[in-house]
Amino acid sequence: MNILVCIKRVPQTGGRIVLAADGQAIDTRFLGHTISPHEECGVEAAVQIVEKEGGSSAVLTLGPAEAEEQLRDAMAIGIDRAILLETDGSEWDPVSTATAIAETVETQEAATGPFDLILFGNESADSGGYQVGVRVAVALGRPVINGIKDIWFRDDRRAAFARREAPTGGWETYELPLPAVLGVKEGLNLPRYPSVPGRLRAKKKEVQRVALGASSSGALGLGAGEDAAYVNSAVPGPTRILLRLPAEEKTTAEVIGTGAEAAPAVVDLLERIGVLAR
């Protein structure tokens, strides 16, 4: 099995979010970065599949030079090689991102053979667009299913089975001819933590770099017909006006005493809230 995992560098989830002064972006100067959680499960799945079925694995990301850190984290747990589509740090829209990834996949496959499976996270932890994996699959002409929480293969390795939770309860199971694209969800597995020997091995592995520069939108997988002309027309799309942080919930705590002397105050408090009655 030849597997590619596409990941994204995102701010650490759970960190305090601060906006830039112009309100147009998140200020990441004081935030750590990590692999988007769904994609961590994709990396673990690729390693497990190659361990069981044999073959090779690669990890790809589109982002600034600093995203090499996340690629090496993936290689530290067992991914064989890495590809960095290096940008100038500007934000890329889903269409441009998917176009660049699809073109890179075609170039890689021409050199090393087809990827049997391409794994994406169901959605990224920052923008949550749910688009890139589907757009790449359409551009490459491959079947795609999102929301996956289980993967296994037919005995002849010519098809994959993928299972996801149904909206009405229960499970939906799909059979996809390979090569295919899957969007996996957190809970597919429990990602392992990179070991020290793994990190040392990852430092010795080469990261293939492809310079991209600034984002440029374009039609994806539509050809030169009317549909492509429509995508590139002057029809206005959504425009960001301002980012706004949700209101923070504030809580307060009252110290009613310390040690044994606090016991009467505790009893009084329990009486006030109706837990005790005299």
Side-chain angles (χ1 to χ4, degrees):
M1 301 293 293
N2 189 15
I3 302 175
L4 174 68
V5 190
C6 296
I7 65 173
K8 186 177 183 181
R9 169 185 168 92
V10 298
Q12 287 276 7
T13 56
R16 182 180 176 83
I17 302 299
V18 178
L19 297 182
D22 60 3
Q24 294 297 313
I26 296 173
D27 187 344
T28 60
R29 288 178 297 172
F30 307 110
L31 288 174
H33 288 81
T34 186
I35 300 172
S36 196
H38 294 303
E39 292 151 12
E40 286 183 318
C41 294
V43 171
E44 178 65 30
V47 173
Q48 289 185 10
I49 291 169
V50 170
E51 287 175 344
K52 181 179 179 181
E53 307 287 345
S56 62
S57 58
V59 61
L60 176 150
T61 193
L62 182 148
E66 293 79 5
E68 180 180 331
E69 176 187 358
Q70 282 65 52
L71 294 175
R72 294 204 181 276
D73 284 345
M75 290 192 290
I77 70 169
I79 296 292
D80 297 318
R81 61 189 183 94
I83 306 154
L84 173 60
L85 306 184
E86 188 173 348
T87 70
D88 58 4
S90 59
E91 185 174 349
W92 281 52
D93 62 82
V95 175
S96 302
T97 300
T99 301
I101 292 175
E103 290 175 352
T104 301
V105 168
E106 291 176 339
T107 301
Q108 290 286 318
E109 291 185 328
T112 62
F115 293 110
D116 300 293
L117 198 62
I118 302 177
L119 300 177
F120 286 85
N122 193 63
E123 80 273 5
S124 62
D126 50 1
S127 57
Y130 296 81
Q131 296 186 45
V132 175
V134 175
R135 289 181 178 275
V136 169
V138 171
L140 297 174
R142 299 180 186 181
V144 58
I145 299 292
N146 264 350
I148 296 307
K149 284 197 170 184
D150 196 8
I151 304 169
W152 67 100
F153 299 93
R154 209 165 66 189
D155 291 341
D156 60 8
R157 307 297 188 271
R158 298 181 65 180
F161 295 94
R163 189 168 67 163
R164 70 182 183 185
E165 293 177 287
T168 56
W171 294 88
E172 299 173 343
T173 301
Y174 297 84
E175 182 178 359
L176 298 89
L178 298 179
V181 178
L182 294 177
V184 304
K185 290 193 73 172
E186 196 172 7
L188 170 69
N189 50 47
L190 182 62
R192 72 194 75 180
Y193 191 79
S195 64
V196 173
R199 290 189 182 279
L200 293 175
R201 287 193 297 269
K203 285 184 178 181
K204 298 178 181 179
K205 295 181 180 180
E206 183 179 356
V207 174
Q208 181 181 350
R209 294 174 178 270
V210 180
L212 296 180
S215 169
S216 58
S217 298
L220 176 62
L222 297 174
E226 295 179 359
D227 289 340
Y230 174 78
V231 170
N232 284 317
S233 70
V235 176
T239 301
R240 175 186 298 158
I241 298 174
L242 192 70
L243 295 178
R244 182 177 298 169
L245 292 175
E248 293 186 7
E249 295 185 5
K250 296 183 179 180
T251 58
T252 59
E254 177 186 357
V255 178
I256 60 176
T258 58
E261 297 177 357
V266 172
V267 174
D268 291 340
L269 175 62
L270 295 177
E271 288 179 347
R272 289 203 308 268
I273 65 177
V275 175
L276 291 180
R278 293 192 180 184

